[in-house]
Amino acid sequence: NDRMNIAIDGPAGAGKSTVARKVAEQLGYVYIDTGAMYRAVTLCAQRAGVSAEQPDKLDQLARSLQIEIEPGEHGQSVFINGEEVTSLIRSREVTLQVSHFAANETVREVLGTMQRQLAARKGVVMDGRDIGSHVLPDAELKIFLTASVKERAMRRFREIADSQIITLEQLETEIAERDRLDEQRDISPLVCASDAVVLDSTGMTIDEVIQAIVKLSRTKM
Ligand code: C5P
């Protein structure tokens, strides 16, 4: 068995999910989007009226949730207690709050355990913030994918069909704030693992980034 695990971490909007999904496709691996799991917990908490400042309630909620992920055609489908929430977890409301819930110790413990189980048999490409540094410290290949905050905001801006409702400046502020919260939390913050390969995708196309990672993976096989 020569399958390996690949960790792709980096700040918000660096293109991790697109890149991770395509790399997995090319290698015949399973793609796992860990941000989707934090988003699912956030959606549930919001529905239950539980805030990130209520750790006891949040602990209980995190432990009782049944989160399932399934590889789908456009990445990954996410279910909570049997209900599909794949698009609901992409709302602005969830995006603006998720970093607060992701700072909770129990939430990270529950999801981290799930993530390790999913990667136990190898052959996964997992994207997130703390995969190389914390969840899968033994991953055979670790990538830290980044780009300037301007470039990341611009890419996101182009993606949003309804861009009139939010300005580029606003997007840039929100992305920078999410990075700040993710970098400054106490438990497994966003950090570049010491043995990660840093890829700055500013000025690179998605395909160039994908090919660079696939090429790096070949050197590890
Ligand atoms: O990757 P995505 O932008 O969907 O992640 C949403 C949020 O989930 C991040 O901003 C971060 O707060 C949290 N997250 C995390 N650890 C991960 C993946 C995501 O804390 N491994």
Side-chain angles (χ1 to χ4, degrees):
N1 187 348
D2 54 359
R3 301 203 313 170
M4 64 172 113
N5 282 332
I6 301 178
I8 303 185
D9 293 296
K16 297 185 300 293
S17 54
T18 309
V19 164
R21 180 163 52 82
K22 297 256 172 74
V23 168
E25 221 173 82
Q26 291 202 15
L27 297 176
Y29 282 14
V30 177
Y31 162 55
I32 298 164
D33 170 1
T34 65
M37 299 179 186
Y38 288 94
R39 288 170 178 273
V41 171
T42 302
L43 175 69
C44 272
Q46 287 175 338
R47 282 175 166 182
V50 173
S51 88
E53 283 74 47
Q54 298 172 295
D56 290 347
K57 286 186 176 174
L58 188 54
D59 282 8
Q60 207 187 351
L61 183 119
R63 290 191 203 284
S64 68
L65 278 186
Q66 188 85 37
I67 298 179
E68 277 167 338
I69 57 167
E70 246 174 44
E73 234 172 87
H74 302 286
Q76 172 189 275
S77 303
V78 185
F79 300 82
I80 324 174
N81 301 331
E83 178 197 349
E84 176 158 17
V85 294
T86 311
S87 4
L88 286 174
I89 58 170
R90 302 289 154 196
S91 76
R92 192 165 140 74
E93 212 181 342
V94 169
T95 303
L96 286 174
Q97 284 294 314
V98 60
S99 293
H100 297 285
F101 291 95
N104 176 273
E105 187 170 8
T106 307
V107 170
R108 299 206 72 80
E109 199 182 289
V110 168
L111 297 186
T113 302
M114 261 186 79
Q115 290 156 14
R116 280 186 200 105
Q117 283 167 357
L118 289 166
R121 286 182 302 157
K122 302 251 180 189
V124 307
V125 181
M126 196 174 271
D127 92 53
R129 301 293 186 288
D130 63 337
I131 308 307
S133 60
H134 189 79
V135 177
L136 304 177
D138 298 329
E140 284 77 2
L141 178 60
K142 300 178 185 179
I143 305 289
F144 194 79
L145 186 62
T146 180
S148 71
V149 67
K150 259 211 159 52
E151 168 108 4
R152 290 185 279 128
M154 183 60 93
R155 289 178 190 165
R156 192 49 60 86
F157 190 68
R158 287 197 211 101
E159 264 171 33
I160 302 173
D162 245 346
S163 36
Q164 290 97 320
I165 62 161
I166 183 163
T167 65
L168 180 59
E169 289 69 31
Q170 230 175 318
L171 255 180
E172 200 176 316
T173 308
E174 289 177 10
I175 287 178
E177 172 64 3
R178 192 140 68 93
D179 290 348
R180 190 187 65 80
L181 289 169
D182 290 340
E183 282 161 2
Q184 294 183 357
R185 69 169 169 246
D186 294 330
I187 312 151
S188 53
L190 166 65
V191 65
C192 178
S194 58
D195 51 352
V197 178
V198 180
L199 264 182
D200 186 338
S201 72
T202 312
M204 281 173 90
T205 67
I206 299 243
D207 263 338
E208 287 169 342
V209 177
I210 295 164
Q211 286 331 308
I213 297 175
V214 168
K215 205 169 153 193
L216 282 165
S217 77
R218 307 256 184 244
T219 68
K220 306 275 180 182
M221 280 174 181

